[in-house]
Amino acid sequence: MSGEPGLGLQVFQNKFLAEGDRTMNAIVKVTSAGGRERSDGVAAEVLLVDCSTSMRSPATKIAEARRAAIAAVDALPDGVLFAIVRGTHQAELVYPAENTLVTASDRTRAEAGSAIRHLSAVGGTALGSWLAKARELFDTSSAEIRHVVLLTDGRNEHQTREELVSELNACEGRFVCDARGIGDGWEPDELALIVKVLRGNVDSAVKDGQLAVDFRALIDAAMTKLLPEVRLRVGTMPFSTLRFVKVVHPNEYDLTDRLRPAGDHEQELLLGSFSGAESRDYHLCFDLTADVEPSYGQDRQLGWVELAPMAGARVPESPSGVLGRWTHDQVPPTLVDPKVLQYTIQAELGEALTAGGEAFAAGNGEGARRQWGLAVKLATARKNDDILTRLNRVVDVVDASTGEVRLRTKVPRSEVLHLLVAPYSRLSVTGDGEPPSSGGAEADLPPRTCAACDTLSPGGARFCVGCRAEFARSVS
């Protein structure tokens, strides 16, 4: 690619508000296009490989980790800076010998591979110290694109959660981290927290050989990044507040607590690095004060979004408004924007997966069966083959259209973990954010008004599109 990369921003919403409505939802799409050839030293990669004692049982885990790390190193293009870190209750640099990054070449890749083959599994687990070592290594370089792959099989046992959070706060905006779990002893919540703050994704390996393929793909994706840190600014009006902002494509997590003040009625959010051809969607929800003056027959600005200027990239010159127009009609002319509806259904799917996992962990087999059955129904409607594949490893599907399933016997915990991290994995979202078809009986149901916040939702929705409160089930 050549030329200066460009960023684009679009807002999708239903701007019509019924009398008394106090919530506005919008999907903000951020896209990148174009770019330049990368020069040597612009990108840097650090591999954090778990070498705690638990990686020895079974022995295939440490062997798989070595194979994956070597595959990742072999995928590094010439000129990329890199390092390999052995992670235990402390972080030990195993390649290169000096406390710095080394340039990828035939020689250094071979040397790194030799060092990786001698990795031994003895020690504890302190994820924050591993990330601190990556931050320290990146500080020795002027590389713009900085990426980390973190592999672990265990919990953060040799560090408090407060220490991990503190280190994550220090690393935020410094590099992007993708995390992978192996085995059945790691905690999804810990890895989800890491990738949320460091704007990556999390997944797990449940089959031999899968991790090496995954690592190679992560490196290939990281090496396409051209824009080091894209920032989204969100503005509100004196009568509006931002309730939440969530990334909903290509993965899902709530970023509300990552917003930072950027001026009067303005907040800024780091989005992470972008390639020369990428698209991400964010769900924003605005609350309006009770005394807001409705505007009938014309649009009123409720908030706005824009991309912060950045060196080496073209960004839109003007912000995009989040608008509202009140109507005297009892039902707005357009119920819910298709993209807002799409991600409402997607959120329900994630909630069903999580609720099923919680029930399963508590020994409530019937609760797990019911929630994962709902997930099968939603994933089938969305044609989400990745999540259906994961679900089929824990349930036998009797009728996908109704969500009738049976729990499989002796489900390995590693398969449950693989299912629970699906919403945080970039592999779990189909297409490029295009809404699924809205046919079927549920599309013909009348809209539902939330008793908690008065927001109008589609007739078939189980959760309010505004406050996410669950609707009471209809009695047939």
Side-chain angles (χ1 to χ4, degrees), residues 3 15 37 74 94 181 199 209 246 261 335 408 459:
K15 65 183 178 182
E37 296 292 338
D74 288 344
V94 297
R199 310 302 193 267
K246 304 174 182 179
L335 294 180
R408 290 180 178 267

Side-chain angles (χ1 to χ4, degrees), residues 118-309:
H118 290 89
L119 286 177
S120 59
V122 179
T125 304
L127 301 176
S129 69
W130 309 357
L131 296 167
K133 173 58 74 172
R135 177 167 55 86
E136 177 185 328
L137 289 166
F138 286 133
D139 283 347
T140 68
S141 160
S142 59
E144 298 175 4
I145 305 299
R146 302 176 175 192
H147 181 252
V148 166
V149 176
L150 182 154
L151 173 69
T152 186
D153 80 325
R155 300 172 177 85
N156 194 43
E157 294 177 338
H158 288 80
Q159 194 175 47
T160 66
R161 187 173 181 86
E162 290 73 21
E163 289 172 326
L164 174 60
V165 169
S166 177
E167 181 54 41
L168 285 171
N169 290 336
C171 293
E172 185 175 17
R174 309 284 286 275
F175 57 86
V176 171
C177 178
D178 292 322
R180 291 297 181 264
I182 187 171
D184 60 7
W186 53 279
E187 285 297 328
D189 289 347
E190 287 180 349
L191 296 194
L193 173 64
I194 289 172
V195 301
K196 167 187 169 178
V197 177
L198 302 182
R199 310 302 193 267
N201 72 90
V202 61
D203 212 330
S204 69
V206 293
K207 295 181 180 179
D208 288 346
Q210 179 182 350
L211 194 63
V213 174
D214 191 19
F215 269 36
R216 191 177 295 111
L218 288 175
I219 297 298
D220 289 343
M223 294 304 103
T224 67
K225 302 301 182 184
L226 295 175
L227 302 173
E229 191 55 74
V230 179
R231 293 173 294 152
L232 178 71
R233 288 178 181 166
V234 183
T236 55
M237 309 304 288
F239 52 81
S240 65
T241 58
L242 181 63
R243 183 191 302 179
F244 66 71
V245 54
K246 304 174 182 179
V247 58
V248 289
H249 176 85
N251 43 18
E252 304 171 51
Y253 37 79
D254 193 322
L255 292 170
T256 309
D257 65 342
R258 311 320 299 177
L259 288 162
R260 297 294 178 263
D264 287 344
H265 300 289
E266 293 182 29
Q267 299 181 79
E268 192 169 87
L269 179 66
L270 301 176
L271 305 186
S273 56
F274 272 65
S275 71
E278 194 165 345
S279 174
R280 301 181 197 171
D281 290 355
Y282 300 84
H283 182 181
L284 279 64
C285 180
F286 293 85
D287 287 327
L288 310 179
T289 61
D291 59 352
V292 62
E293 188 70 26
S295 61
Y296 296 96
Q298 61 182 357
D299 293 341
R300 185 169 187 181
Q301 184 166 312
L302 309 180
W304 54 266
V305 291
E306 70 175 353
L307 295 171

